[in-house]
Amino acid sequence: MQASRESSGYAQAFRTNLNEAIQANSTFRMTDVANFEWDRMYRIDPYMPREAIEEIIGTKLKGSAELTDELFYQLIFVKEDEVVLNIIMDGITADFSSSKRMTERAASLFRIEKIPDAYAADRETVLIHNVMEGDLAAKE
């Protein structure tokens, strides 16, 4: 995972908590990983212009905002109208690409799916999916 584009004391703790959740669990609550105050989390794909990102998240960004590499995407956490954390993620460490574009704090349950990496035999791809409470109970 790359450094945060927004200066935030939460970036390192987020990385550590996410890595621990991936290693230890099959599901996790984003509220446990991002254990700071936030209302909404947005997944932003590469090549999206700043104006489109700001329209999606409903507020202005500080610093540069556009990613120009398919391997990376952003997770942006917003509290009211303020960006709390804007972190650059790589799809190898944790691939949120199949998760919802926006996740509300109250519905922040995710399922971890580990599959063999298509490019490296000694590595797994970690897919992260949104899960509804009822869906998870039905699978157990």
Side-chain angles (χ1 to χ4, degrees), residues 14-55:
F14 177 84
R15 285 187 202 95
T16 299
N17 293 345
L18 180 60
N19 285 328
E20 289 174 0
I22 289 169
Q23 296 306 312
N25 303 303
S26 60
T27 62
F28 68 93
R29 292 190 187 287
M30 187 57 76
T31 52
D32 295 331
V33 172
N35 57 2
F36 46 85
E37 290 298 316
W38 57 276
D39 299 322
R40 299 171 314 281
M41 179 192 84
Y42 296 90
R43 177 188 46 82
I44 305 296
D45 298 325
Y47 305 111
M48 187 172 291
R50 169 189 283 285
E51 296 78 23
I53 295 170
E54 291 176 344
E55 185 173 320

Side-chain angles (χ1 to χ4, degrees), residues 85-98:
L85 177 63
N86 178 359
I87 193 161
I88 308 304
M89 306 284 295
D90 69 73
I92 294 170
T93 302
D95 185 345
F96 281 82
S97 64
S98 62

Side-chain angles (χ1 to χ4, degrees), residues 32-33 37 55 59 70 76 79 83 86 91 94 105 110 116 128 133 140:
D32 295 331
V33 172
E37 290 298 316
E55 185 173 320
T59 191
E70 295 87 17
I76 300 176
K79 173 72 174 165
V83 173
N86 178 359
R105 182 179 182 86
F110 287 86
I128 310 288
E133 296 283 345
E140 294 178 341

Side-chain angles (χ1 to χ4, degrees), residues 60-77:
K60 297 285 185 188
L61 289 170
K62 299 173 187 168
S64 60
E66 296 174 30
L67 293 175
T68 57
D69 189 324
E70 295 87 17
L71 296 178
F72 297 95
Y73 57 93
Q74 294 168 268
L75 293 180
I76 300 176
F77 293 84

Side-chain angles (χ1 to χ4, degrees), residues 77-127:
F77 293 84
V78 175
K79 173 72 174 165
E80 297 168 3
D81 291 327
E82 182 179 334
V83 173
V84 181
L85 177 63
N86 178 359
I87 193 161
I88 308 304
M89 306 284 295
D90 69 73
I92 294 170
T93 302
D95 185 345
F96 281 82
S97 64
S98 62
S99 67
K100 295 178 184 175
R101 163 91 53 214
M102 192 272 292
T103 299
E104 295 278 349
R105 182 179 182 86
S108 66
L109 183 63
F110 287 86
R111 179 175 50 87
I112 300 166
E113 179 183 358
K114 297 178 182 176
I115 61 172
D117 190 290
Y119 303 104
D122 62 337
R123 190 171 63 206
E124 293 178 312
T125 298
V126 179
L127 303 174

